[in-house]
Amino acid sequence: DAVREFGAAFLYVAVTFNFVIQLSAMAYEKELHLLENLRHCGMLDSAYWVSWFFSNTVTNIISVGLLLAVGLLFNLELFTDNDSKLTFVTFFLISMSFTSFAFFLMPFFQSA
């Protein structure tokens, strides 16, 4: 069965896609120099990055929840044989590590 052989790789790609979207959105804001404009208005850098962290965390919760729901809907073995809370926490931590990696990579991008 193809799902048994390659299913885990596609689940990894689903989490990785979220990373690409987050990184490109942050790079696009950097390209438009929005952080510099917000600094001129008096916004702290910490408030800017905390807002990105919270919005990416909400995005990760939604995407992992959808991934878990679709996996249970299609009765994929990974989701039906394991505890749902454990699977959610595992995928959520993986997506949060990708979010942290996106924050690490941001200084190296000049444009989206």
Side-chain angles (χ1 to χ4, degrees):
D1 188 18
V3 174
R4 288 181 197 234
E5 289 183 40
F6 305 112
F10 286 111
L11 295 174
Y12 183 74
V13 169
V15 175
T16 308
F17 179 73
N18 200 22
F19 161 73
V20 171
I21 296 297
Q22 291 172 355
L23 185 62
S24 65
M26 287 189 290
Y28 183 68
E29 275 199 10
K30 185 176 180 179
E31 183 179 337
L32 294 177
H33 303 287
L34 293 181
L35 179 58
E36 289 84 7
N37 293 335
L38 290 171
R39 280 185 194 143
H40 291 318
C41 294
M43 182 175 166
L44 298 174
D45 284 351
S46 60
Y48 174 80
W49 290 109
V50 166
S51 71
W52 264 116
F53 179 78
F54 282 135
S55 64
N56 287 340
T57 300
V58 169
T59 303
N60 289 338
I61 289 171
I62 292 170
S63 67
V64 169
L66 285 173
L67 182 66
L68 185 67
V70 169
L72 289 171
L73 180 70
F74 288 111
N75 290 325
L76 295 178
E77 192 174 305
L78 174 71
F79 298 101
T80 57
D81 290 349
N82 297 314
D83 183 34
S84 296
K85 290 176 233 149
L86 180 64
T87 306
F88 180 85
V89 168
T90 302
F91 278 110
F92 177 70
L93 291 177
I94 290 169
S95 64
M96 289 305 292
S97 68
F98 274 117
T99 299
S100 301
F101 189 55
F103 284 124
F104 169 75
L105 290 178
M106 269 314 299
F108 302 114
F109 285 92
Q110 295 300 322
S111 64

